[in-house]
Amino acid sequence: MDGHLDTQDKVHRFERTVLPHLDAAYSLARWLARDQQDAEDIVQMAFLRAFRFFDSFRGGNVRAWLLTIVRRTYYSWLRDRRHEDGDVGFDELLHSGHDSAGSDPESIAEREDTRHAVNAALEKLPRAYREVVVLKDIENLSYKEIAEVVEIPIGTVMSRLARGRKLLGDYLRLSVVGASHEL
C-alpha cells in the first residue's frame, strides 16, 4: 500500500507541476514535426519520459525541463523514422482561443491570410532556426531557457534567433511581393 501512495503522490505532483505546460509542449512538437498526429505522438512519448524521470527533477524551471524532453523525444523519434513526411501547415486558429474582436469577415480573412503567411514562412525556416524562433517568439522563453532546452550556448541562441528572424522576414517579404504580382 505504501508504494501505491507514493505513486499517487507522484501522479498528483506531476499533474500539478508539469501538466500546465502541455500546450507549450505540443506547440514545440508541432513546429518541429510539422504534423499534428506526429506532434501528439511525440508529446505523449515525452510526457511518459517526463513522468518516468520526474523524481530526478530537482526544481527550477519545469517548463524548460519539459521542453528539453520534448525536443529530445522529437530527435529520437526523427532518428527512428529516418524521414520527414506530411509537411502540414500549423493552423493557429485551431490552437488559440477565439477572439471576438474584429470578427467581421474582412478582418477574419485578413488575420487568416497573415497567419497563413507567417506559418508558411516559419515552416520554410531550417529546423535549427525554427526551433529557437518558436521557443522565443511563440513560447516566450528567455535566452537562458532556450539555451537549456536546445542545449547550446546563449550566444548561439541569439545568433540563430537573429538569423531565423531575418530569414522569416525575407520569406514574408517574398510572399507579399509574390502576392502583389499575382494581382
Side-chain angles (χ1 to χ4, degrees):
M1 184 77 176
D2 193 46
H4 179 69
L5 290 176
D6 288 343
T7 302
Q8 273 188 322
D9 179 55
K10 180 180 176 180
V11 168
H12 291 302
R13 285 184 299 115
F14 184 82
E15 287 174 347
R16 223 177 24 256
T17 308
V18 180
L19 217 47
H21 303 288
L22 177 62
D23 288 343
Y26 176 77
S27 177
L28 178 60
R30 178 65 185 84
W31 280 110
L32 291 173
R34 298 189 286 183
D35 179 83
Q36 179 180 342
Q37 185 62 49
D38 291 341
E40 290 170 1
D41 292 345
I42 291 163
V43 168
Q44 184 175 21
M45 289 184 287
F47 267 77
L48 288 171
R49 288 179 181 178
F51 183 73
R52 187 172 51 225
F53 296 108
F54 187 59
D55 290 332
S56 66
F57 177 67
R58 297 290 175 234
N61 187 332
V62 70
R63 187 172 177 208
W65 176 78
L66 176 64
L67 293 178
T68 300
I69 293 171
V70 170
R71 182 178 178 273
R72 289 178 180 170
T73 302
Y74 165 73
Y75 282 106
S76 294
W77 170 87
L78 185 62
R79 184 186 61 239
D80 294 345
R81 294 220 10 189
R82 300 260 194 253
H83 69 291
E84 215 178 281
D85 288 350
D87 199 28
V88 177
F90 184 66
D91 188 350
E92 189 69 30
L93 286 175
L94 293 175
H95 305 291
S96 64
H98 179 67
D99 180 11
S100 60
S103 59
D104 62 280
E106 188 174 334
S107 294
I108 292 170
E110 190 174 302
R111 280 195 316 269
E112 288 178 8
D113 287 347
T114 300
R115 282 187 189 106
H116 176 72
V118 170
N119 288 343
L122 266 171
E123 290 200 19
K124 287 181 185 177
L125 286 178
R127 187 179 303 117
Y129 297 151
R130 186 173 61 241
E131 69 185 357
V132 295
V133 169
V134 166
L135 289 170
K136 181 66 175 159
D137 296 335
I138 295 177
E139 294 304 323
N140 298 314
L141 266 61
S142 69
Y143 293 126
K144 181 180 178 196
E145 292 168 329
I146 295 168
E148 290 173 21
V149 170
V150 183
E151 302 175 292
I152 57 176
I154 289 176
T156 305
V157 169
M158 293 165 56
S159 172
R160 286 185 186 177
L161 186 60
R163 289 180 182 147
R165 285 175 173 167
K166 182 185 180 323
L167 267 176
L168 189 62
D170 291 347
Y171 293 152
L172 287 170
R173 278 187 289 285
L174 286 173
S175 71
V176 169
V177 169
S180 66
H181 286 279
E182 292 174 12
L183 299 176

